[in-house]
Amino acid sequence: QPESPQDFQCLSLMLRVVHTLLFGDGGGEGLRELFDSDTQLESLIHRLMMIFRYAADGDGGDLQGDRELVTRWAMPLLEQCAVACPKALSAVCSLPEVERWAADCLVGSARTASRREAFRGFLGMSWPRDRDQHWHLRFGVTKGEMAVLHPYCFFLSMLLPLTVKPLLPTCGELYGLVASLLAQTKRLCLIFAEAGKYPTPDAALQHAFAPQLDAVSDSLFAALREHPVVEERGRQGEDLVLIGTLNTLTQIIQLRPHLKAQYSVGEQGLVRYIYRDCLFETPSADRCTPDGLPKCKMVSSRKSAFHLLRELAVGCPEAYNELLQEMLNMHGTREMRQGMYMYQPSQVDKAPCGFVGLRNLGATCYMNSLLQQLYHIPEFRARVLQVPIAQGVDRAEDLMWQLQCLFGYLQESEKQFYETRSLCSAYKDYDGLPVNTSLQMDVDEYLNMLFDRLETAMKGTPQHNLLKECFGGKVVNQIICKDAVVVGDEVFDGDRLFKSEREETFFTLQLEVKHKRNILESLDLFVEGEVLEGDNKYFCEEADQKVDAIKRVCISELPKTLILHLKRFEFDLDCMKKVKVNDFCEFPSTLDMDPYTRDGIERREKAAKEAVKQGLDPAAAAAQVESLDGSQYELAGVLVHTGTADSGHYYSYIKDRCGQAKGGGGWY
C-alpha cells in the first residue's frame, strides 16, 4: 500500500517492467514459466487486482497523478494476462467478492481516468481482441470449450445486476460497459451455435441469457419508476443513472422483443410512463420547482427516452397503439397560439444561470433593469411578497399585486422571461396614465415615482415602513457659524461652534460625475460645503446677527442598501437641450461611507484641529481616523445607460447575493 509519491512512482515503474518482461519482445519464455505455475499466476493476478483498486480509490489529492500512473499500467497488465491464458482469467473470476471489486473499479473511483482504464480492461477481458481469438489453440482448449468458457458470460452476469442497484453519478463507465457487452450478445450466440453447444443462435439466447435478461429488465423498470428527479431546468448536468437505465432497457428489449407487449399496455405501462413522466409531463402547482417533472430535461436523457419509445413501438401493435393514443391526447389539449411555427420549448426555457428575465416591450429597458435590481435585494423581495392585498380590489389595477406577481415569477418560473404588460398597465404616472411602453424614461425619475406609488400602496399594512427600512437614509443640512455668537445664555466660539441643522430623508444620493475621476471625488464634493461670507453672510436668527458660516450637507443616518445616482444627464443652457455627461468615473467594489457622515466628519475635523495644535499635518491626522462599523458597503448592482440623452438602452449588472444561481456569488 504505497503512501508517498515516490512509492506510487516506483510501483508504476515496477508494473511497467513486469509488463515488458511478460509481453515485450522476447518475453515468451517468462510468460510460459509463469503460466506453468498456478500458484504464482493466481498470486500475480490477485495482487494486480488489489493494486488497481487501491490506486483508484479515494480522490487522490496531491497524489492523483501518481495514482493514475499506477492504474495506467496495472489494468493493461491484468487484461493481457487474462486474455493470454484461461488460468489467469479463472484467477480473476475466483477473487473473493469479485463483484464488489468490479463495482469499486467502475463506479467507486472518483477519478474519471481510473474508471476509464477499468472500462477498457473489463471490455478487453470479456471480449478478447481479434489478434487474441486463438488463445484456445495455444493452450489446448477446444473451440467448443472456449464457447462454454467464454469470459463474456461471466462478466455480463456479474455486471448486469449492478445496474439495478442505487448508483453514484460516476456510473457512466459501468453502463457503457454493459451496453458494449449487450451489443455482442447476438454475436456470441452465433459462436455458441457454430461450436455445437446450441442448435441455433436463438436457442443459445433463450437458454444462456434469457432468464437473467428478463429478471434484470423487471428490476430496471421498477428502478426507473423509483428513480428520483435529478436533472433540473436551467442547470447543467445529466442524470447518468437515468440515461444508463433507459439505454440498458432499450438493448434488453431489442434482444427480448416479447417484453414489448408485456411492458407497454395499461396505466402502469412503460410507454405511458416514458411518454408522460420522463418526457412530456408539465409541472403541477404543488411541484413547480426546477427538479419537478419531467425526469428527462437534458438532451442526452431525452434522446435515450425517445429511443426506448421507438424500440417499444417497432413490431409491437400494442405499444404502437398506446404511443399513438398518448400523442393524440396531448395534441387534442394543446394550446393554439399565434406565431408557434417551428416552436421549440427549449427556446423559452430558463437560462442555464437559473434566473428569469423580463421581456422588453419596446422601450421598457429602464423599468426591467431597475426591477431586476430590486428583486435581487433579498430582504426587499421577501417583504414585498408578504404585503397583504385587500379583499375586493381589482387586482389587474393593483400595483402591489402586480409587483408581487412579477417577483413570484422571477423566483419560481421555469420560463425564460416574464411578460411585464400587466404591471405596466397597473402602474400609473402623475397624470393617471399607464406606462407608455414605446417611450423611454429616466430610470432615476421612474424609481422616485415607483417608490412613491409603493409607499401609498403599503399604507396601513405591516410593511408600511418597508422602503424606509431597506433604502431610507437621512441627510442633514448644516449651517455652521464660524464667528462667535450668543444664543440665549450660551456663548458659541472656538471649539464649540453654533450649528443650525435640518434633516431630510433620502432613498438615493445624487452625485456629480462631471470632471470627477471616481465617486470618492463626487462624495467629497457632496459634503464639501459652501462658505458664506462678505456680502453673502449668513443671518443667524438665533443670534440675531450676520456671521461668516459654512453651509454643507452630510449624512446623518446610513441606509441598509445604499443607492447612488450618478448624474449623467444635465441641461445645456448654451444649446438649450438635455445632454449626457460621458466623463469616465470609477467606482470601487467596496465603499466606506464613514468619512461622509456627520459623525465621521466631526471626528476627522477634531483630529485635524488637534494635529494643528501639535504642529502636525492635519490631513494625515484626519486620514488616520478609523471608520465605525456599519459604514462599509459592498457593490451588489450597477445599472448602466448606453446611448445619448435622447435615446439609448438600460441594462444591469447584478451580483447573486443568495447563491440562487449555480455557483452563486457571481455577477450576471
Side-chain angles (χ1 to χ4, degrees):
Q1 293 186 349
E3 299 293 343
S4 66
Q6 293 78 10
D7 292 343
F8 280 102
Q9 291 166 10
C10 289
L11 180 57
S12 65
L13 289 173
M14 187 185 303
L15 291 169
R16 187 173 181 179
V17 169
V18 173
H19 185 277
T20 303
L21 290 174
L22 292 180
F23 300 103
D25 294 338
E29 291 298 325
L31 182 67
R32 279 191 291 273
E33 291 178 4
L34 175 66
F35 289 168
D36 287 341
S37 173
D38 294 347
T39 303
Q40 288 185 359
L41 179 61
E42 182 173 314
S43 176
L44 172 65
I45 296 302
H46 288 182
R47 181 66 60 85
L48 287 174
M49 294 170 74
M50 293 301 101
I51 286 175
F52 183 87
R53 176 160 65 179
Y54 181 78
D57 190 24
D59 57 9
D62 296 336
L63 300 175
Q64 178 171 339
D66 300 313
R67 285 177 177 269
E68 289 179 0
L69 277 175
V70 173
T71 58
R72 191 181 304 167
W73 286 104
M75 184 55 74
L77 180 57
L78 177 64
E79 174 196 348
Q80 287 195 261
C81 288
V83 169
C85 176
K87 295 177 181 179
L89 180 62
S90 176
V92 173
C93 303
S94 65
L95 178 74
E97 297 185 349
V98 65
E99 295 86 358
R100 182 176 178 180
W101 174 79
D104 291 342
C105 296
L106 288 167
V107 183
S109 176
R111 291 186 299 281
T112 304
S114 299
R115 297 196 305 273
R116 288 177 178 172
E117 283 293 344
F119 169 84
R120 287 189 286 267
F122 276 84
L123 189 61
M125 287 187 286
S126 61
W127 197 279
R129 293 179 291 273
D130 292 341
R131 62 185 175 87
D132 298 314
Q133 285 296 317
H134 301 290
W135 57 268
H136 61 284
L137 300 177
R138 300 199 305 269
F139 292 94
V141 180
T142 66
K143 194 169 183 179
E145 291 172 330
M146 182 201 72
V148 176
L149 298 174
H150 200 289
Y152 168 94
C153 302
F154 168 76
F155 283 102
L156 184 64
S157 63
M158 176 181 67
L159 297 175
L160 260 182
L162 295 179
T163 61
V164 299
K165 295 182 179 180
L167 293 174
L168 300 171
T170 54
C171 61
E173 285 72 22
L174 170 63
Y175 280 114
L177 180 58
V178 170
S180 299
L181 294 178
L182 289 174
Q184 299 292 339
T185 302
K186 289 186 176 180
R187 179 183 172 189
L188 185 62
C189 291
L190 181 62
I191 294 176
F192 283 175
E194 291 176 351
K197 178 66 176 176
Y198 298 101
T200 63
D202 290 340
L205 178 65
Q206 181 66 31
H207 290 86
F209 302 107
Q212 186 176 23
L213 292 176
D214 293 352
V216 169
S217 64
D218 291 339
S219 300
L220 284 174
F221 188 20
L224 180 63
R225 285 186 169 278
E226 297 173 1
H227 185 66
V229 180
V230 175
E231 296 179 348
E232 297 185 8
R233 300 177 188 86
R235 300 287 198 273
Q236 300 295 328
E238 300 168 340
D239 184 356
L240 296 181
V241 177
L242 176 63
I243 295 172
T245 302
L246 292 170
N247 291 340
T248 305
L249 268 174
T250 302
Q251 288 185 286
I252 292 178
I253 288 174
Q254 287 175 341
L255 295 170
R256 305 289 291 153
H258 77 283
L259 296 175
K260 296 180 180 181
Q262 176 182 332
Y263 286 151
S264 300
V265 182
E267 283 288 337
Q268 303 299 318
L270 186 57
V271 169
R272 181 168 299 186
Y273 182 79
I274 296 296
Y275 191 88
R276 294 184 181 180
D277 290 52
C278 293
L279 287 173
F280 295 112
E281 190 64 75
T282 55
S284 59
D286 59 342
R287 188 72 184 276
C288 58
T289 55
D291 61 344
L293 293 174
K295 287 185 176 181
C296 300
K297 301 182 183 70
M298 302 294 110
V299 174
S300 298
S301 59
R302 294 185 70 82
K303 281 185 177 180
S304 298
F306 279 121
H307 289 163
L308 178 54
L309 276 181
R310 182 180 62 184
E311 186 60 38
L312 288 169
V314 172
C316 179
E318 296 88 351
Y320 180 88
N321 292 332
E322 187 78 15
L323 179 58
L324 184 61
Q325 189 60 48
E326 287 294 325
M327 296 173 65
L328 290 174
N329 291 341
M330 173 173 287
H331 282 272
T333 58
R334 76 182 191 273
E335 298 179 29
M336 299 301 294
R337 302 180 185 176
Q338 296 295 328
M340 296 290 283
Y341 180 70
M342 295 296 289
Y343 167 72
Q344 292 186 15
S346 59
Q347 293 179 345
V348 293
D349 204 0
K350 184 187 289 189
C353 66
F355 291 118
V356 179
L358 296 174
R359 186 177 184 182
N360 191 342
L361 302 180
T364 57
C365 54
Y366 67 92
M367 179 178 67
N368 294 352
S369 301
L370 178 63
L371 291 174
Q372 287 280 16
Q373 293 281 3
L374 295 177
Y375 166 79
H376 281 85
I377 301 173
E379 180 184 359
F380 181 73
R381 174 176 72 239
R383 295 184 64 182
V384 163
L385 293 172
Q386 294 171 0
V387 175
I389 304 299
Q391 296 292 331
V393 300
D394 184 3
R395 294 188 171 183
E397 296 295 322
D398 188 272
L399 177 62
M400 181 54 65
W401 169 259
Q402 295 299 335
L403 184 62
Q404 288 179 335
C405 288
L406 184 143
F407 279 6
Y409 270 93
L410 290 181
Q411 179 174 292
E412 302 295 341
S413 177
E414 294 303 320
K415 292 186 176 181
Q416 189 180 72
F417 59 84
Y418 174 69
E419 182 82 43
T420 59
R421 199 171 299 277
S422 56
L423 178 68
C424 293
S425 177
Y427 176 87
K428 300 296 189 294
D429 61 16
Y430 293 124
D431 297 324
L433 299 176
V435 173
N436 186 342
T437 58
S438 62
L439 183 64
Q440 191 167 115
M441 187 176 180
D442 179 70
V443 72
D444 182 59
E445 182 183 353
Y446 176 74
L447 174 64
N448 293 330
M449 292 177 62
L450 177 63
F451 278 8
D452 180 67
R453 298 294 184 271
L454 293 180
E455 276 191 313
T456 302
M458 290 186 288
K459 284 183 179 179
T461 69
Q463 292 78 22
H464 64 279
N465 284 327
L466 171 59
L467 295 179
K468 292 181 180 178
E469 292 171 359
C470 287
F471 309 104
K474 291 181 181 180
V475 295
V476 57
N477 296 278
Q478 291 183 323
I479 299 180
I480 306 171
C481 297
K482 298 172 66 178
D483 298 336
V485 297
V486 178
V487 178
D489 297 334
E490 296 185 72
V491 178
F492 295 88
D493 63 351
D495 294 336
R496 186 166 175 262
L497 301 177
F498 178 75
K499 299 175 184 177
S500 174
E501 297 183 336
R502 177 173 55 86
E503 282 191 335
E504 295 178 359
T505 60
F506 73 89
F507 291 126
T508 62
L509 287 182
Q510 309 289 327
L511 300 181
E512 297 285 347
V513 295
K514 193 171 185 179
H515 307 313
K516 299 293 180 287
R517 292 177 300 175
N518 51 59
I519 63 170
L520 300 181
E521 292 184 1
S522 300
L523 288 167
D524 289 337
L525 177 64
F526 182 78
V527 299
E528 184 178 286
E530 174 188 0
V531 178
L532 305 177
E533 58 185 3
D535 294 337
N536 195 31
K537 280 189 175 185
Y538 169 67
F539 179 75
C540 180
E541 295 181 356
E542 290 81 354
D544 194 24
Q545 68 181 80
K546 283 191 173 184
V547 295
D548 291 342
I550 296 177
K551 181 182 178 181
R552 71 184 181 194
V553 178
C554 53
I555 302 171
S556 59
E557 183 179 319
L558 289 167
K560 285 186 178 179
T561 300
L562 177 63
I563 303 176
L564 302 179
H565 174 235
L566 308 186
K567 297 165 70 174
R568 289 285 184 184
F569 299 110
E570 65 179 18
F571 191 80
D572 190 334
L573 294 174
D574 294 330
C575 300
M576 296 303 292
K577 67 176 184 180
K578 192 176 182 181
V579 296
K580 182 179 178 183
V581 178
N582 287 310
D583 291 20
F584 179 80
C585 184
E586 293 181 334
F587 47 88
S589 58
T590 58
L591 179 62
D592 183 8
M593 290 296 294
D594 186 73
Y596 313 105
T597 62
R598 176 173 55 187
D599 183 59
I601 292 173
E602 290 175 352
R603 285 186 287 110
R604 285 164 177 79
E605 288 177 342
K606 183 179 179 181
K609 289 179 181 179
E610 292 294 332
V612 170
K613 292 179 181 180
Q614 300 174 15
L616 302 176
D617 182 7
Q624 292 176 359
V625 176
E626 293 185 0
S627 299
L628 299 179
D629 293 337
S631 62
Q632 289 77 31
Y633 289 87
E634 184 178 349
L635 185 66
V638 182
L639 204 157
V640 185
H641 178 268
T642 179
T644 66
D646 300 320
S647 63
H649 182 60
Y650 283 100
Y651 57 94
S652 278
Y653 290 104
I654 304 177
K655 185 178 182 179
D656 178 22
R657 282 163 277 189
C658 299
Q660 183 177 346
K662 186 178 181 181
W667 282 84
Y668 296 89

